């Protein structure tokens, strides 16, 4: 991701910033698109993972649809050229304003998350003399086996509708004349790398679609959601998510009828590896047992480690990388010391400048001896990174830099 030219370029720039490697993004989109197309699968990009304009434009150019979770995301999808027939709108708390916006835009489908919401969408559609397409988001009660903060498919969860509520859903759908039932929707969690989890999901989807068909509802769309994980530990050697195995599981285990469409909503897997957060060391502080690297980026620029205890690889671009694979020509330290780096590798708590003790990217990070001014890369931050930036402490808005 970084060669000497790139690192030299970084030296001229104000930090912190997100660095987007558009080649990595392109390769990822191409791989995903090819893997999905061979089975006739449709992929909607889950825009909440990253709505950087350049990223959106590129994803749109590969023909992906958009999975939105707010009215503004629907608006952005349209502005960036995603066809309205490829826009879906999910979310447990869609406001009337957002529903109206999506109705006016004639989006492809609302993924409805409660019976109450069905009634409201119906009322608002009726007022506009429109028919709203509906997919029902169902909790399949499949455990994604990821961190409990990012698991969404279990019954005790604010998202979706539980299977024991399906008779009420069927009643509501029959009564609501301005709703058109299209299909069923699932999203069981995020950062899933165990394909067995998706196999379990397929088996549940097959049962649930049978339930709908048996109750007189034609299921045209099977939307399996997203959640495919990426390799946060090996961003260079394993930079593309395993789209091939992922789609193969659905091909093998999902009962797809001839006139049905299968939809996916991938976020993280499409964008995570294409960005790194680049920051500078402000101070090196020695505690009693701990060395602190104080960066000029913190939880206001990247909150995943603090919010979900997420792991990100951290590299010192000015000395040597954490994996020891690169040596750069930059930095104020005499490079003749490089031969000693192996023995002088230190452990640092890598922290940000924000006035919160939780503002720590990771503890005990092994890095070459580091100095004020060193460039630090926090890898695999293309998903749920820049989009979660906050203005806490009245911080400057983090920059974006592109490989081209
Ligand atoms: C967040 C979300 C996704 C995307 O999840 P990833 O883990 O980024 O793939 C898909 N569908 C819905 C409904 C979501 O909320």
């Amino acid at each position: 991701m970084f060669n000497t030219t790139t690192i030299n370029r970084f030296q001229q720039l104000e930090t912190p910033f997100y660095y987007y490697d558009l080649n990595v993004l392109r390769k990822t989109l191409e791989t995903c698109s090819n893997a999905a197309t061979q089975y006739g699968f449709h992929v909607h990009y889950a825009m909440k993972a990253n709505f950087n304009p350049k990223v959106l434009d590129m994803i749109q150019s590969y023909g992906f649809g958009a999975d939105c979770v707010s009215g503004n995301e629907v608006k952005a999808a349209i502005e960036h050229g995603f066809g309205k027939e490829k826009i879906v709108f999910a979310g447990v708390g869609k406001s009337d304003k957002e529903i109206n916006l999506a109705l006016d835009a004639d989006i492809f489908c609302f993924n409805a998350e409660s019976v109450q919401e069905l009634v409201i969408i119906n009322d608002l559609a009726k007022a506009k003399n429109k028919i709203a397409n509906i997919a029902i988001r169902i909790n399949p009660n499949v455990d994604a086996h990821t961190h409990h903060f990012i698991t969404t498919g279990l019954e005790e969860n604010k998202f979706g509708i539980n299977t024991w509520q399906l008779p009420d859903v069927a009643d509501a759908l029959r009564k609501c004349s301005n709703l058109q039932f299209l299909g069923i929707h699932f999203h069981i969690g995020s950062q899933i790398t165990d394909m067995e989890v998706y196999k379990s999901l397929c088996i549940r989807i097959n049962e649930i679609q049978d339930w709908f068909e048996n109750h007189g509802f034609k299921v045209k769309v099977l939307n399996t959601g997203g959640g495919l994980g990426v390799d946060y530990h090996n961003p260079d050697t394993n930079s593309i998510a395993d789209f091939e195995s992922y789609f193969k599981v659905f091909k093998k285990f999902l009962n797809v009828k001839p006139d049905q469409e299968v939809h996916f909503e991938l976020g993280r897997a499409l964008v995570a590896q294409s960005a790194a957060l680049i920051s500078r060391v402000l101070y090196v502080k020695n505690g009693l047992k701990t060395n602190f690297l104080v960066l000029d980026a913190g939880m206001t620029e990247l909150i995943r480690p603090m919010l979900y205890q997420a792991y990100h690889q951290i590299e010192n671009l000015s000395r040597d990388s954490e994996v020891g694979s690169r040596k750069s020509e930059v930095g104020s330290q005499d490079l003749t010391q490089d031969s000693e780096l192996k023995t002088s590798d230190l452990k640092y708590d890598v922290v940000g400048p924000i006035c919160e003790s939780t503002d720590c990217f990771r503890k005990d990070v092994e890095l070459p001896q580091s100095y004020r001014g060193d460039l630090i890369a926090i890898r695999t931050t293309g998903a749920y990174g820049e989009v979660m930036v906050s203005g806490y402490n009245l911080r400057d808005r983090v920059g974006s830099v592109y490989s081209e």
Side-chain angles (χ1 to χ4, degrees):
M1 194 171 199
F2 314 109
N3 54 31
T4 311
T5 317
T6 317
I7 296 170
N8 284 336
R9 182 180 164 209
F10 290 171
Q11 294 260 297
Q12 320 302 319
L13 300 171
E14 190 182 331
T15 48
F17 57 85
Y18 276 94
Y19 173 69
Y20 288 94
D21 187 328
L22 298 180
N23 262 327
V24 174
L25 180 58
R26 243 183 239 116
K27 240 171 85 186
T28 309
L29 296 173
E30 228 170 79
T31 310
C32 175
S33 178
N34 291 341
T37 310
Q38 65 181 322
Y39 304 126
F41 292 163
H42 301 262
V43 179
H44 293 102
Y45 167 57
M47 194 190 287
K48 74 174 190 286
N50 191 319
F51 39 72
N52 177 296
K54 263 204 206 279
V55 170
L56 285 186
D57 286 340
M58 188 167 290
I59 292 174
Q60 189 277 123
S61 77
Y62 278 81
F64 291 90
D67 165 37
C68 306
V69 290
S70 75
N72 285 340
E73 284 193 5
V74 171
K75 235 194 263 177
I78 292 164
E79 281 164 13
H80 285 272
F82 290 90
K84 60 185 182 181
E85 74 291 346
K86 284 187 187 172
I87 298 177
V88 299
F89 183 13
V92 68
K94 303 178 189 76
S95 72
D96 294 20
K97 181 180 167 188
E98 291 175 312
I99 294 169
N100 278 323
L101 184 150
L103 286 168
D104 289 338
D106 294 315
I107 62 161
F108 173 66
C109 192
F110 290 84
N111 293 336
E113 307 220 8
S114 65
V115 174
Q116 294 85 331
E117 182 190 336
L118 287 176
V119 174
I120 297 301
I121 297 175
N122 184 62
D123 287 350
L124 296 174
K126 188 173 278 173
K128 291 181 184 294
N129 207 14
K130 289 195 170 193
I131 305 286
N133 283 338
I134 298 288
I136 304 293
R137 176 167 179 179
I138 298 158
N139 285 330
N141 207 22
V142 170
D143 191 343
H145 299 300
T146 58
H147 196 283
H148 60 279
F149 288 172
I150 53 173
T151 295
T152 59
L154 295 174
E155 274 170 0
E156 198 56 19
N157 203 297
K158 75 172 177 179
F159 299 104
I161 293 171
N162 295 316
T163 45
W164 44 266
Q165 295 167 310
L166 289 184
D168 295 341
V169 170
D171 276 351
L173 287 171
R174 285 196 194 95
K175 284 184 194 135
C176 292
S177 52
N178 289 70
L179 301 184
Q180 170 70 49
F181 173 78
L182 265 198
I184 48 182
H185 171 232
F186 304 83
H187 176 66
I188 55 173
S190 206
Q191 186 50 20
I192 298 165
T193 49
D194 176 3
M195 294 301 146
E196 283 295 309
V197 170
Y198 285 117
K199 179 183 166 187
S200 309
L201 174 63
C202 288
I203 291 165
R204 288 294 286 147
I205 295 178
N206 293 339
E207 293 166 3
I208 293 165
Q209 69 160 323
D210 285 350
W211 188 95
F212 275 91
E213 298 272 345
N214 292 338
H215 287 77
F217 292 94
K218 190 149 178 43
V219 179
K220 288 189 199 132
V221 172
L222 301 174
N223 184 339
T224 73
L228 177 62
V230 299
D231 190 344
Y232 281 92
H233 290 266
N234 300 289
D236 290 313
T237 52
N238 193 15
S239 65
I240 312 270
D242 192 0
F243 298 110
E244 199 58 53
S245 309
Y246 173 69
F247 291 122
K248 203 179 269 172
V249 170
F250 290 94
K251 174 67 187 168
K252 189 161 172 201
F253 295 105
L254 199 59
N255 271 340
V256 184
K257 307 200 171 85
D259 51 349
Q260 268 179 339
E261 284 185 13
V262 185
H263 291 194
F264 295 84
E265 300 171 338
L266 293 174
R268 184 192 315 272
L270 293 178
V271 291
Q273 299 289 16
S274 64
L277 177 61
I278 309 297
S279 171
R280 273 192 178 87
V281 176
L282 288 176
Y283 304 103
V284 184
K285 279 182 76 173
N286 303 317
L288 279 177
K289 289 184 190 148
T290 315
N291 303 304
F292 292 100
L293 272 196
V294 184
L295 305 186
D296 63 6
M299 62 193 288
T300 43
E301 286 68 47
L302 176 70
I303 202 174
R304 295 190 70 255
M306 303 79 179
L307 191 59
Y308 317 116
Q309 299 156 356
Y311 174 95
H312 287 273
Q313 184 154 295
I314 298 173
E315 299 168 4
N316 185 332
L317 298 180
S318 301
R319 306 291 151 188
D320 199 351
S321 75
E322 189 183 13
V323 287
S325 60
R326 270 188 307 272
K327 286 181 167 54
S328 73
E329 306 294 322
V330 294
S332 56
Q333 185 70 1
D334 184 352
L335 286 177
T336 54
Q337 290 195 6
D338 262 0
S339 56
E340 287 163 25
L341 281 183
K342 284 286 166 275
T343 50
S344 64
D345 274 8
L346 292 169
K347 286 190 173 174
Y348 294 96
D349 284 12
V350 179
V351 302
I354 306 304
C355 302
E356 299 287 343
S357 319
T358 53
D359 186 32
C360 174
F361 289 110
R362 192 145 53 84
K363 288 180 185 297
D364 292 330
V365 183
E366 267 186 50
L367 287 170
Q369 186 142 23
S370 301
Y371 299 86
R372 173 176 167 83
D374 283 359
L375 285 166
I376 302 293
I378 305 180
R379 303 292 305 273
T380 320
T381 48
Y384 308 107
E386 194 184 349
V387 284
M388 288 198 192
V389 160
S390 88
Y392 185 45
N393 287 192
L394 208 51
R395 299 268 292 166
D396 282 337
R397 179 78 168 72
V398 67
S400 317
V401 171
Y402 306 91
S403 56
E404 56 205 58

